[in-house]
């Protein structure tokens, strides 16, 4: 039997250290919210492939959809020989995204590709270059998306210089003392000190910051950004790569605000574990690039598209938005109860099932990344996978599949309680 220690030795010898790996065990199989390693140990998965399997590992309907497509063809390159499923998926997403009027969708492979292409589309539409994003943002690991990302370590170290005309403003955070008014004032100052708003192509925001610590954007911020974009002809881009597809209790987080973006990027749970991303947006903006300006060899992969169509069916038929809201409320209630007796829990943040806690030293108020590591380690010993995030690594995020059975979810909550107490 292959053992974890042997695989760990082989991995360290064969792959570069720049690819950070959290676990020292190796997956053998997975089903719904459960993973088994190569030695047969079982884990409750509260990582979901970093929010990629909102519909669970190997959902039967998704498996069936991929298997059916596998019998037809696996690749033609959509830009060479197109196929109906891409058109069908685009039509469905055009109706589902929170953007009114004629909408069009283009497909790519990764979240970073979606953001790169959203920037290209915005620049082609406006004839401008400037991009404004937020501190703490994570938009990808390509050079353009690294420039947009508002977190230096570990993402930017050693990789510069980055593309120019990318600017950052603070993201509102009650615990950090950053108000919506302060963030909007910082943006107004940016337009006075660094770039004329008439040179800005797009403002890009995660409605809930992912790597930044699950900071939830207030509705007042979204309204303020929409007004600024309208006033200056700027494209408003919502990065829903992590927050999309029922994670926040709605199909897209922007639906919580009643504010429409011009473009929306998506990936991760769009295709339930298959590599697929997309940019959807107002047709007049999406049509700005010339033919051949968008695309990619694997963009709109047939297997991934078949999976995505099944994902949309599962989310609708199994009412995963409603389930996301219910599970998130249950988890938040447990975390708030734990916070009453645990002074290390400085904050509980949530939108639906996009839930996180921030840990700080009770004596000094310092960001406590070591405490997060201890909680993760204790939970892992009990068979529960937890992820960290945040500018200082002191946030624990909870990203369970929304299809997790109730009994297993309750077991995970008990483990979290015990780990926090320990």
């Amino acid at each position: 039997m292959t053992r974890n220690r042997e695989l760990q030795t082989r991995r360290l010898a064969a792959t570069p250290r720049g690819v950070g790996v959290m676990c020292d065990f190796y997956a053998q199989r997975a089903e719904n919210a459960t993973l088994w390693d190569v030695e047969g140990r079982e884990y409750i998965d509260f990582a979901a492939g970093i929010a990629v399997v909102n519909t669970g590992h190997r959902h039967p309907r998704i498996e069936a959809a991929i298997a059916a497509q596998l019998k037809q063809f696996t690749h033609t390159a959509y830009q060479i020989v197109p196929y109906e499923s891409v058109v069908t998926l685009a039509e469905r997403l055009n109706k589902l995204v929170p953007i009114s009027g004629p909408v069009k969708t283009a497909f790519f492979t990764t979240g970073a590709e979606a953001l790169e292409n959203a920037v290209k589309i915005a620049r082609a539409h406006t004839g401008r270059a400037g991009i404004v994003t937020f501190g703490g943002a994570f938009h990808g690991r390509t050079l353009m998306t690294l420039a947009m990302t508002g977190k230096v370590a570990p993402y930017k170290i050693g990789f510069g210089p980055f593309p120019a005309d990318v600017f950052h403003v603070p993201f509102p955070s009650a615990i950090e003392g950053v108000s919506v008014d302060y963030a909007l004032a910082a943006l107004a100052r940016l337009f006075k000190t660094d770039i004329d708003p008439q040179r800005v192509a797009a403002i890009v925001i995660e409605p809930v910051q992912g790597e930044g610590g699950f900071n939830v954007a207030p509705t007042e911020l979204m309204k303020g950004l929409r007004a600024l974009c309208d006033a200056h002809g700027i494209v408003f881009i919502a990065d829903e790569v992590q927050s999309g597809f029922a994670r926040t209790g709605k199909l897209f987080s922007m639906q919580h605000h009643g504010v429409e973006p011009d473009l929306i990027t998506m990936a991760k749970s769009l295709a339930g574990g298959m590599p697929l991303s997309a940019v959807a947006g107002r047709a007049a903006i999406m049509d700005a690039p010339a033919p051949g300006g968008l695309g990619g060899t694997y963009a709109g992969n047939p297997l991934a598209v078949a999976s995505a169509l099944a994902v949309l069916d599962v989310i609708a038929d199994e009412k995963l938005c409603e389930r996301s809201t219910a599970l998130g409320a249950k988890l938040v209630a447990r975390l708030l109860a734990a916070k009453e007796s645990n002074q290390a829990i400085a904050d509980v943040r949530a939108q639906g099932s996009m839930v996180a806690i921030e840990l700080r030293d009770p004596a000094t108020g310092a960001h406590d990344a070591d405490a997060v590591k201890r909680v993760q380690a204790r939970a892992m010993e009990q068979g529960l996978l937890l992820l960290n995030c945040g500018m200082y690594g002191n946030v624990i995020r909870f990203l369970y599949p929304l299809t997790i059975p109730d009994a297993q979810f309750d077991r995970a909550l008990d483990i979290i309680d015990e780990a926090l107490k320990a």
Side-chain angles (χ1 to χ4, degrees), residues 8-254:
Q8 186 78 337
T9 300
R10 289 169 55 193
R11 178 182 74 81
L12 294 173
T15 66
R17 69 190 185 106
V19 180
V21 177
M22 184 181 83
C23 297
D24 61 0
F25 63 86
Y26 290 74
Q28 178 70 33
R29 62 189 179 95
E31 183 173 355
N32 200 356
T34 308
L35 286 166
W36 289 268
D37 74 4
V38 293
E39 297 178 11
R41 281 191 287 269
E42 180 179 315
Y43 298 88
I44 302 171
D45 186 3
F46 262 46
I50 318 180
V52 166
V53 288
N54 287 355
T55 48
H57 294 281
R58 296 177 48 245
H59 192 289
R61 293 176 69 177
I62 295 172
E63 271 196 343
I66 295 170
Q69 179 59 48
L70 191 59
K71 293 180 180 179
Q72 302 300 316
F73 58 91
T74 62
H75 181 74
T76 66
Y78 178 79
Q79 296 156 250
I80 305 302
V81 181
Y83 31 93
E84 182 180 3
S85 60
V86 164
V87 179
T88 300
L89 181 58
E91 290 171 337
R92 291 185 66 177
L93 289 172
N94 292 344
K95 293 177 181 178
L96 291 169
V97 295
I99 302 172
S100 58
V103 174
K104 292 188 176 183
T105 296
F107 295 103
F108 307 98
T109 308
T110 68
E113 273 188 278
L115 268 299
E116 289 263 354
N117 281 280
V119 167
K120 288 164 55 180
I121 292 164
R123 284 177 167 175
H125 173 70
T126 62
R128 307 172 182 179
I131 303 296
V132 177
T133 65
F134 288 82
F138 179 83
H139 296 295
R141 288 183 171 90
T142 59
L143 283 177
M144 184 66 208
T145 55
L146 276 180
M148 296 163 65
T149 290
K151 184 179 178 182
V152 173
Y155 305 114
K156 295 188 175 188
I157 295 174
F159 296 136
F162 301 107
D165 276 346
V166 177
F167 305 88
H168 296 90
V169 292
F171 193 95
S173 168
I175 194 170
E176 296 289 347
V178 180
S179 68
V180 171
D181 287 344
Y182 183 89
L184 291 174
L187 185 53
R189 283 195 299 274
L190 180 75
F191 290 162
K192 293 294 185 183
T193 62
D194 289 288
I195 185 169
D196 180 348
Q198 299 303 313
R199 288 185 51 234
V200 176
I203 295 175
V204 187
I205 188 171
E206 298 165 278
V208 183
Q209 289 194 320
E211 294 293 318
F214 278 30
N215 303 302
V216 181
T219 296
E220 309 91 272
L221 176 68
M222 292 303 193
K223 289 180 177 178
L225 294 177
R226 180 71 270 177
L228 278 171
C229 288
D230 290 341
H232 298 292
I234 297 169
V235 177
F236 187 16
I237 302 175
D239 177 355
E240 296 245 22
V241 167
Q242 188 163 167
S243 60
F245 299 97
R247 174 54 56 184
T248 67
K250 294 185 182 293
L251 196 62
F252 297 101
S253 177
M254 288 300 295

Side-chain angles (χ1 to χ4, degrees), residues 370-386:
D370 288 338
V372 166
K373 293 175 183 176
R374 292 195 298 272
V375 172
Q376 284 181 290
R378 181 63 178 169
M380 186 85 77
E381 291 172 3
Q382 303 300 311
L384 175 66
L385 300 185
L386 297 176

Side-chain angles (χ1 to χ4, degrees), residues 189-348:
R189 283 195 299 274
L190 180 75
F191 290 162
K192 293 294 185 183
T193 62
D194 289 288
I195 185 169
D196 180 348
Q198 299 303 313
R199 288 185 51 234
V200 176
I203 295 175
V204 187
I205 188 171
E206 298 165 278
V208 183
Q209 289 194 320
E211 294 293 318
F214 278 30
N215 303 302
V216 181
T219 296
E220 309 91 272
L221 176 68
M222 292 303 193
K223 289 180 177 178
L225 294 177
R226 180 71 270 177
L228 278 171
C229 288
D230 290 341
H232 298 292
I234 297 169
V235 177
F236 187 16
I237 302 175
D239 177 355
E240 296 245 22
V241 167
Q242 188 163 167
S243 60
F245 299 97
R247 174 54 56 184
T248 67
K250 294 185 182 293
L251 196 62
F252 297 101
S253 177
M254 288 300 295
Q255 292 170 301
H256 290 278
H257 302 293
V259 176
E260 294 188 8
D262 297 308
L263 302 178
I264 185 167
T265 62
M266 58 199 94
K268 289 192 183 288
S269 273
L270 165 61
M274 298 294 285
L276 184 68
S277 65
V279 181
R282 303 189 192 282
I285 299 175
M286 292 294 295
D287 276 336
L294 304 178
T297 300
Y298 295 104
N301 171 269
L303 300 175
V305 169
S307 182
L309 288 167
V311 163
L312 295 179
D313 291 339
V314 169
I315 289 173
D317 294 347
E318 298 187 14
K319 295 180 170 55
L320 292 189
C321 287
E322 293 87 341
R323 182 158 178 78
S324 173
T325 299
L327 291 174
K330 191 173 186 178
L331 172 56
V332 167
R334 289 286 285 269
L335 294 173
L336 288 175
K339 185 176 183 291
E340 291 182 4
S341 59
N342 191 333
Q343 294 182 345
I345 302 174
D347 198 18
V348 178

